[in-house]
């Protein structure tokens, strides 16, 4: 399985925050981008939507983000910081990523 990963050196790549805000807005049926400073849990994200977000983020960035991050007080800004700095995003285990030994 090939995973699309963010390449910060690619000037044509869409900024992660814009991509994530747009993805959340699309999944929630919002007219505009999701506010970057709005706690995700306050916008009605349910467990199914959180699972969809987790999969999309993993496919886009290569980093696993637990469902709980999308259901609580985290914001888009906070998730972007974590993904960009690998501060709290958990690397995908090889078995989950489908890698073979």
């Amino acid at each position: 399985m090939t995973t699309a990963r963010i390449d910060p050196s690619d000037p044509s790549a869409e900024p992660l925050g814009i991509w994530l805000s747009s993805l959340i807005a699309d999944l929630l049926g919002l007219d505009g981008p999701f506010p970057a400073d709005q706690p995700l849990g306050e916008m009605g994200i349910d467990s199914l939507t959180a699972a969809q977000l987790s999969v999309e983020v993993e496919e886009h960035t290569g980093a696993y983000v637990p469902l709980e991050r999308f259901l609580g007080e985290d914001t888009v800004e906070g998730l972007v910081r974590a993904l960009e700095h690998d501060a709290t995003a958990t690397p995908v285990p090889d078995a989950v990523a489908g890698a073979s030994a």
Side-chain angles (χ1 to χ4, degrees), residues 6-75:
I6 295 173
D7 181 359
S9 65
D10 181 359
S12 66
E14 180 177 34
L16 182 57
I18 292 172
W19 173 81
L20 186 55
S21 291
S22 296
L23 174 63
I24 293 169
D26 287 345
L27 290 175
L28 293 178
L30 303 176
D31 291 330
F34 188 88
D37 60 349
Q38 178 79 37
L40 298 169
E42 292 181 6
M43 291 300 292
I45 294 177
D46 58 21
S47 59
L48 177 60
T49 304
Q52 290 174 300
L53 287 166
S54 183
V55 168
E56 290 282 342
V57 169
E58 182 178 330
E59 288 176 354
H60 190 78
T61 67
Y64 170 72
V65 178
L67 302 182
E68 296 80 20
R69 300 282 311 259
F70 297 106
L71 298 170
E73 294 298 313
D74 271 314
T75 63

